[in-house]
Amino acid sequence: MLVTFACSSVYAQFTQAQFVGEFTRAKAYTKAYTKAYLDAMPADGYAFKPTPQMRNFAQQMLHLADANYFFCSTGSGKPSPLGKGVSVEKTVAQTKEATTKAVMDSYDFAISTLQGMTPAQLQETIKFAGKDLERFQLFGKGFEHQTHHRGQTTVYLRLKGVTPPPEMLF
C-alpha cells in the first residue's frame, strides 16, 4: 500500500509537469500541432465541412477550445473564464483570426490552471460522469479530446488541398 501511494504521488507530480509541457507544446507557435493546424488552413477554409453532417473547420477547433475549458475547469474546480454554460463554438465568429485567438486563449487557461495546482490537489478524487476520478485524470481526458479533434482536422486540410503540419510528438 505504501508503494502504491508513493508511486501515485510521483505519478501525479510527473503528470502535472508533463501535462503543462504537453499543453504548452500543443499551443506553441513553432513547435505545436494546434497553432500549426490553425495557421495551415486558409481563411476561406474555416467554413469548410467535409459533409453537411460534420462541423466545419472553425467549429472543430472551437469545440476543442470548449473542451479545454470544460475539462480543466472541472478538473481544477476553478470556474471557467467563459462563464457557466458559455460555448466559444456557439459565440465566437468562425473566422481564422477569431478562432485562432479563442483556441489559444483556451490553452492559456489550461496551462495556467495546471500550473496553479499542487500535486496533492491533482490527486484529489472527485465524481465525474458517475465515476471517482483523480483530478489529474480529467486533464488527461481533456488532452486526449483535443488531440482527437485536431486529428480530425487533418482530413479537412487534405480535402482543401493543404498538406497538414508534420508530426510534432516531441
Side-chain angles (χ1 to χ4, degrees):
M1 185 178 205
L2 181 59
V3 171
T4 301
F5 178 75
C7 289
S8 295
S9 179
V10 169
Y11 182 68
Q13 290 174 10
F14 173 76
T15 301
Q16 180 181 16
Q18 179 185 19
F19 282 143
V20 168
E22 291 301 309
F23 272 104
T24 302
R25 183 181 57 78
K27 178 200 175 229
Y29 176 71
T30 57
K31 297 180 182 175
Y33 290 137
T34 306
K35 182 71 166 69
Y37 272 68
L38 289 160
D39 289 344
M41 180 60 88
D44 67 352
Y46 273 65
F48 174 69
K49 288 181 166 191
T51 70
Q53 301 84 3
M54 296 175 75
R55 289 179 168 101
N56 66 33
F57 182 84
Q59 288 168 326
Q60 281 281 13
M61 289 298 193
L62 292 169
H63 176 74
L64 177 159
D66 277 335
N68 282 348
Y69 285 112
F70 172 75
F71 282 107
C72 294
S73 178
T74 304
S76 68
K78 180 179 178 180
S80 167
L82 299 177
K84 190 167 178 80
V86 176
S87 163
V88 292
E89 184 180 352
K90 307 275 189 261
T91 59
V92 169
Q94 294 176 10
T95 64
K96 183 171 185 157
E97 183 178 288
T99 299
T100 299
K101 180 179 179 347
V103 173
M104 293 298 101
D105 288 350
S106 78
Y107 280 102
D108 288 341
F109 176 72
I111 292 163
S112 68
T113 300
L114 270 167
Q115 289 172 330
M117 295 186 72
T118 66
Q121 289 171 319
L122 287 166
Q123 288 181 319
E124 291 173 357
T125 300
I126 61 171
K127 281 275 190 210
F128 181 80
K131 298 179 182 194
D132 290 331
L133 298 174
E134 290 183 352
R135 291 185 181 277
F136 80 85
Q137 290 176 288
L138 288 172
F139 286 95
K141 292 298 179 190
F143 195 81
E144 179 181 345
H145 182 271
Q146 61 91 35
T147 301
H148 167 76
H149 283 280
R150 183 185 55 239
Q152 287 182 336
T153 64
T154 298
V155 174
Y156 292 61
L157 290 169
R158 291 218 181 266
L159 289 172
K160 288 297 285 180
V162 176
T163 301
E167 290 289 329
M168 298 178 217
L169 293 176
F170 304 99

